[in-house]
Amino acid sequence: MMDVLGGLVMAIEGGTVEVVDLTIPLGPDTQVIGLPPTFAASPGVTIDEISRYDGRGPAWYWNTIRMGEHTGTHFDAPIHWVTGKDLPENATDTIPPRSFLGPACVFDATREAAADADFLVTPEWIGAWESRHGRVPRGAWVLLRTDWSRRSGAAFLNADAAGPHTPGFHAAASALLAHDRDVLGVGVETIGTDAGQAGRFNPLVPNHGIMHGAGKFGLASLCNLDRLPPTGSVVIAAPLKIVDGSGSPLRVLALVPVRDAVDR
Ligand code: MN
């Protein structure tokens, strides 16, 4: 039998497979999603020192962290949404670990998002992508590249009087990916997996409702998607094993074949 894992270790060591970090820094400056004031807000990150080689602990440094489960680069479990509340294995501690990794399909919508902050991926758009790169395989992570992670400050949430303007998925596109393509879930560079204006859509915030109702996952606030090819990389996204957790901050890693190295 071919030594797949030995080959992977050699490829990483030899530089023919690169490990790309798709995670933004997690700290007090990390932006959190804004909801209408009628709803409870998720807190930002606070980090309190327990000790730092001082009287509180002379040889050790550690902190207490506090934040909402959906903060920074984070995972959405099916139980996060009412549509997924009764599904089996729907929380961070019960999802089978096999479901945390899969091949990545990178949807590059940078041009569309630059021209229209409210751009939505449609089934037709996915069809055009598949005609170039092949059918989205079962168990794939679909990652929507918009270069939104290059934005900072107010430009990241991009809100005006009508609310946030950030790209996302049309309901029909979410349904196609969840039900027909049977993906693991979708990942985005924006603060949530729905478009900024999705609170005004019918159905409301459709990507969450459709994906989580189908037992699928979400990844938000990703970065470095520009370093991934359209297909051919593998993404590992394993949330903290929070008991009955609706999601968690996490480190998202991609194993990416280095084209020049592969061609050599
Ligand atoms: Mn979330």
Side-chain angles (χ1 to χ4, degrees):
M1 185 186 139
M2 190 173 69
D3 183 0
V4 175
L5 295 181
L8 175 62
V9 170
M10 280 181 59
I12 292 170
E13 196 171 331
T16 56
V17 168
E18 186 184 8
V19 181
V20 175
D21 191 355
L22 307 185
T23 318
I24 65 167
L26 185 65
D29 294 336
T30 303
Q31 298 200 59
V32 294
I33 198 165
L35 299 182
T38 49
F39 301 120
S42 182
V45 178
T46 54
I47 301 179
D48 295 309
E49 221 170 70
I50 302 171
S51 72
R52 191 159 191 157
Y53 332 116
D54 52 25
R56 301 169 298 174
W60 52 92
Y61 165 57
W62 51 353
N63 299 307
T64 301
I65 55 175
R66 181 174 190 272
M67 70 197 75
E69 288 172 329
H70 299 254
T71 303
T73 301
H74 73 269
F75 183 99
D76 290 358
I79 199 175
H80 178 43
W81 220 249
V82 64
T83 51
K85 75 184 177 66
D86 296 321
L87 293 177
E89 300 173 333
N90 63 353
T92 48
D93 59 332
T94 57
I95 296 166
R98 166 66 187 84
S99 299
F100 295 141
L101 71 166
C105 293
V106 180
F107 287 3
D108 184 352
T110 48
R111 276 188 306 111
E112 293 88 335
D116 175 12
D118 295 314
F119 170 73
L120 301 178
V121 172
T122 61
E124 295 70 32
W125 194 96
I126 294 172
W129 185 93
E130 288 185 326
S131 71
R132 295 194 303 276
H133 304 294
R135 186 180 166 95
V136 173
R138 185 163 181 258
W141 279 116
V142 169
L143 307 179
L144 178 58
R145 180 187 163 197
T146 55
D147 285 351
W148 218 260
S149 58
R150 295 182 186 174
R151 292 173 173 238
S152 59
F156 181 64
L157 296 179
N158 200 38
D160 62 17
H165 296 275
T166 59
F169 296 89
H170 190 280
S174 300
L176 173 72
L177 293 172
H179 299 134
D180 197 66
R181 298 299 186 266
D182 198 14
V183 299
L184 288 180
V186 295
V188 298
E189 294 183 52
T190 48
I191 202 144
T193 62
D194 261 287
Q197 287 288 297
R200 295 160 176 258
F201 292 177
N202 183 21
L204 222 63
V205 276
N207 187 71
H208 280 79
I210 292 165
M211 281 288 157
H212 299 327
K216 308 305 183 189
F217 316 132
L219 297 171
S221 294
L222 298 172
C223 64
N224 290 329
L225 295 184
D226 56 319
R227 294 175 60 190
L228 270 54
T231 63
S233 59
V234 169
V235 162
I236 305 165
L240 297 177
K241 204 167 182 171
I242 299 170
V243 175
D244 207 28
S246 76
S248 99
L250 80 172
R251 198 74 180 249
V252 182
L253 302 177
L255 303 177
V256 181
V258 178
R259 184 172 295 277
D260 292 342
V262 172
D263 290 343
R264 240 187 336 255

